[in-house]
Amino acid sequence: MRIAVATVNGGLDEFVNQHFGRTPTFTIVDIEGGEIKNVRVVPNPGASAPRGAGVQAAQFCINEGVDVVIAGQFGPNSAQVLEASGIKFVSALPTMRVEEAVRAFMRGELTQAVFRSEGGGKGRVRGFGGRRQEGW
């Protein structure tokens, strides 16, 4: 399993970045047999895009063969691309470090994504099955 985590500088000790599309880097973690086997920090090609940063970041994750994405919040366009590609995406608190978030996901503790509305306010929460829960 390959997990991409939105980060600023990257690495297992870095905090999860709250912005998926404009995160400066992704920390990509390969999991084999329930253990972390490989960690890479890669720049997000969509981070400085004038438009469509979330879609570019989502496409990058698709190209990297990612199975799961962890970030604080997702915009509607990036969420749509990730969902259409079959990539699971979940939110983690800003106080979680990458390794902690990856292990929490593996334990089944991270299961929903927070959507950022266009205006930057609170968005919807969606689990993996497309079920929507309002007002989180």
Side-chain angles (χ1 to χ4, degrees):
M1 173 186 302
R2 180 168 283 175
I3 301 174
V5 184
T7 50
V8 175
N9 297 313
L12 292 177
D13 291 330
E14 174 81 16
F15 288 104
V16 175
N17 190 2
Q18 294 302 289
H19 307 285
F20 170 73
R22 296 209 180 270
T23 193
T25 64
F26 287 107
T27 298
I28 298 180
V29 181
D30 290 316
I31 308 293
E32 293 177 21
E35 296 297 321
I36 295 173
K37 294 295 181 183
N38 188 37
V39 178
R40 302 185 285 135
V41 176
V42 293
N44 172 14
S48 61
R51 302 185 63 167
V55 171
Q56 288 182 43
Q59 187 60 54
F60 174 77
C61 289
I62 293 166
N63 294 346
E64 286 288 320
V66 168
D67 301 295
V68 179
V69 175
I70 301 173
Q73 298 180 15
F74 297 86
N77 294 335
S78 59
Q80 186 177 30
V81 172
L82 291 170
E83 191 166 42
S85 72
I87 294 176
K88 296 178 182 178
F89 53 101
V90 296
S91 292
L93 296 172
T95 56
M96 292 186 92
R97 295 190 185 273
V98 170
E99 184 173 5
E100 180 185 4
V102 167
R103 293 192 187 282
F105 174 79
M106 291 170 44
R107 289 190 303 266
E109 296 170 8
L110 300 180
T111 60
Q112 296 181 331
V114 175
F115 289 130
R116 182 185 57 77
S117 66
E118 291 298 329
K122 288 187 179 180
R124 286 180 270 185
V125 176
R126 184 182 306 183
F128 297 150
R131 298 174 306 277
R132 295 180 182 190
Q133 299 173 353
E134 300 294 331
W136 189 60

